[in-house]
Amino acid sequence: MRRILIPKSHRTWRTIYVPGPAEKARLRGLVPVLHRLERSAAERHGTIHVAHGFVPHRSPVTCALAHLNCAWTLTADLADWFDHIHESQIAHGIELGGGDPNVAAQLCVDGAPQQGLPTSPIAANLAAIPMDRWILDRLPPDAVYTRYADDLQLSLRTAPHDPQAIVGILEEAASHMGWQIAPHKTRIYDARRGHRIIVGIAVGSRSIAIPRTTRRRLRAARHQRPQHPHTQGLEEWCRLLLPRALRPRRRLRFEQATDTPPAGLSSLSTPSSRISHAGTIERSQQHKPGLRRVFRFSVRNQSSP
């Protein structure tokens, strides 16, 4: 298995494992099974709403939306998380979902779910379920706790009297699993002082938006490299789209009862009864000029009185 190094901040490097085609195909075949095990384990332990990273129909947008209408937010990061997850923790998570814990050995290289493997994000989520449950048991009932991979977010409806006590809950939970919170990445936000930044999204009391720094990056990228894939990816991110399965379609509905079909439907063979036709105009959420509007008509036959 090939290894490559990519630069991180503070002059450090991240090791990425690149499996061969056969190994990658084998690991990808395990992904649907792992998703089912993760969902089963999360449902059994009441953490189904916690994980938003690498979970079907979840995204950074769904993670940020969960923290609307909160007065105080704490964000933290697990230091070098993937490197410190043990095979036994993944096996325990698989067992919680009703699977064979021996599968964990197939998901690890050098004893950990290394970054670059197709199964590593899901394996990490399985390993984190006990930590998520431990944190939820020690938070107030109205608290909002989410996790996007190694990024932890915790929001309260009212600001706590002792913020360090809340920080201590996350630190103790991570220490209980053998992990560690990165202190230089811990942030505390008060909604009275502006937006709260959660997974790179500015969260207000009722809406989410792109932070000003990201908008400036997009403006510079459009000016310098308008056709570059990185610019297109940044544009896609800045649209803050929900996962495709959750995107609401904007519709304008109308119904009309008539004895003749509307224009464009006259070629349909229909009985001599009255015809009720409904039209739906659907517009995509993608805010781009020149989008096509889709018109859909349905004909419903009604018996004559």
Side-chain angles (χ1 to χ4, degrees):
M1 185 175 297
R2 191 162 55 97
R3 304 178 187 181
I4 60 175
L5 297 177
I6 61 175
K8 296 171 58 178
S9 58
H10 307 292
R11 298 181 180 181
T12 57
W13 298 86
R14 175 181 285 115
T15 304
I16 302 297
Y17 288 68
V18 184
E23 181 70 8
K24 183 180 294 186
R26 184 186 67 82
L27 292 174
R28 284 181 175 174
L30 296 174
V31 168
V33 178
L34 294 176
H35 274 309
R36 289 194 295 268
L37 292 174
E38 179 196 1
R39 182 173 184 83
S40 176
E43 287 178 344
R44 292 180 183 181
H45 289 76
T47 63
I48 190 66
H49 62 283
V50 171
H52 287 259
F54 312 106
V55 177
H57 311 318
R58 302 278 180 90
S59 72
V61 176
T62 62
C63 182
L65 288 174
H67 295 266
L68 290 175
N69 197 27
C70 292
W72 184 89
T73 295
L74 165 67
T75 62
D77 185 90
L78 294 170
D80 299 325
W81 186 42
F82 284 89
D83 296 335
H84 290 85
I85 298 175
H86 299 296
E87 179 183 325
S88 59
Q89 295 173 327
I90 301 174
H92 180 57
I94 293 175
E95 192 173 10
L96 292 177
D100 181 6
N102 295 323
V103 177
Q106 306 177 37
L107 312 178
C108 297
V109 176
D110 299 333
Q114 303 294 346
Q115 297 185 69
L117 304 183
T119 54
S120 292
I122 316 170
N125 280 339
L126 281 164
I129 289 177
M131 182 191 71
D132 296 336
R133 184 66 263 172
W134 196 95
I135 293 175
L136 290 174
D137 290 339
R138 286 156 180 80
L139 292 179
D142 62 343
V144 178
Y145 167 65
T146 58
R147 179 177 52 79
Y148 193 93
D150 58 351
D151 295 327
L152 314 180
Q153 306 87 32
L154 195 159
S155 294
L156 301 176
R157 305 298 177 184
T158 57
H161 297 291
D162 186 6
Q164 290 304 318
I166 306 298
V167 177
I169 292 177
L170 298 187
E171 291 177 344
E172 188 177 356
S175 177
H176 182 71
M177 300 291 297
W179 306 329
Q180 186 177 3
I181 297 291
H184 64 283
K185 293 185 178 181
T186 301
R187 299 287 185 273
I188 293 178
Y189 299 97
D190 193 325
R192 295 173 296 182
R193 300 180 181 177
H195 287 102
R196 297 161 289 135
I197 305 301
I198 297 176
V199 288
I201 299 175
V203 181
S205 59
R206 297 185 178 180
S207 62
I208 61 175
I210 291 298
R212 185 179 302 172
T213 55
T214 307
R215 294 200 302 267
R216 290 174 177 171
R217 285 176 52 201
L218 176 60
R219 190 183 306 120
R222 283 173 170 171
H223 176 72
Q224 297 171 3
R225 300 182 296 180
Q227 303 301 325
H228 197 275
H230 292 173
T231 303
Q232 298 173 1
L234 188 57
E235 287 179 341
E236 185 73 15
W237 162 258
C238 289
R239 284 145 77 181
L240 295 182
L241 296 177
L242 286 167
R244 190 175 300 276
L246 303 180
R247 296 179 193 175
R249 288 183 285 186
R250 303 178 181 180
R251 296 187 175 185
L252 175 63
R253 289 186 173 274
F254 57 92
E255 289 192 3
Q256 178 183 1
T258 178
D259 290 328
T260 56
L265 299 180
S266 56
S267 60
L268 295 177
S269 57
T270 57
S272 59
S273 59
R274 291 173 60 84
I275 300 173
S276 172
H277 58 86
T280 301
I281 301 176
E282 299 184 359
R283 184 170 57 187
S284 171
Q285 252 193 343
Q286 299 177 352
H287 305 293
K288 280 188 176 181
L291 282 178
R292 294 176 56 192
R293 292 187 177 182
V294 181
F295 294 81
R296 294 181 180 175
F297 293 91
S298 59
V299 178
R300 294 197 303 269
N301 299 331
Q302 297 178 344
S303 301
S304 301

